[in-house]
Amino acid sequence: VQLVESGGGLVQAGGSLRLSCAASGDIGRINDMGWYRQAPGKQRELVATMTTGGITNYADSVKGRFTISRDNAKNTVYLQMNSLKLEDTAVYYCNAEIRRVGRGVFIVYWGQGTQVTVSS
């Protein structure tokens, strides 16, 4: 099982980016999917999560600006980021709680990370 992120890059403050994260491999079922970020010198923090049924949770710092969504048929989670601020600069990681085919437990898998840089 692997998670592959895409969509990061350099954007000016006030701009938008859309991140994607696709899970692949011998996937039996996916529960929660989400996005986290880690800025230089800081701990990794939650950005947004989404359950299979569509219940979302956002960090206060991104509420009203970021939107998480997912396509369960494609095992993909997205993060639409609008009104980006300098402080949104970080490496963004996706994760997913996955039960592999033939296995009985869920394990959290992480993507490799994608850099988002917001410039003034």
Side-chain angles (χ1 to χ4, degrees):
V1 171
Q2 63 175 351
L3 303 182
V4 178
E5 298 123 334
S6 60
L10 175 65
V11 63
Q12 285 192 323
S16 300
L17 280 176
R18 187 187 193 220
L19 305 182
S20 300
C21 173
S24 62
D26 56 338
I27 296 170
R29 179 179 173 84
I30 301 178
N31 279 345
D32 292 2
M33 302 184 82
W35 291 93
Y36 291 71
R37 67 186 181 187
Q38 188 167 18
K42 295 187 176 181
Q43 290 189 333
R44 190 173 298 189
E45 63 176 4
L46 178 146
V47 176
T49 62
M50 190 173 198
T51 68
T52 304
I55 298 173
T56 58
N57 179 45
Y58 292 94
D60 288 343
S61 60
V62 307
K63 283 181 181 177
R65 300 188 299 120
F66 291 10
T67 302
I68 188 172
S69 61
R70 61 190 283 180
D71 185 333
N72 293 327
K74 294 181 179 181
N75 294 332
T76 300
V77 63
Y78 306 95
L79 186 68
Q80 178 66 43
M81 305 185 293
N82 298 329
S83 302
L84 282 159
K85 304 177 180 180
L86 297 179
E87 53 264 41
D88 294 319
T89 295
V91 177
Y92 284 71
Y93 299 89
C94 70
N95 80 350
E97 191 177 71
I98 296 174
R99 185 186 70 202
R100 295 174 62 182
V101 173
R103 306 292 178 91
V105 296
F106 285 86
I107 297 174
V108 175
Y109 292 86
W110 290 86
Q112 81 285 356
T114 185
Q115 177 70 45
V116 172
T117 303
V118 183
S119 65
S120 59

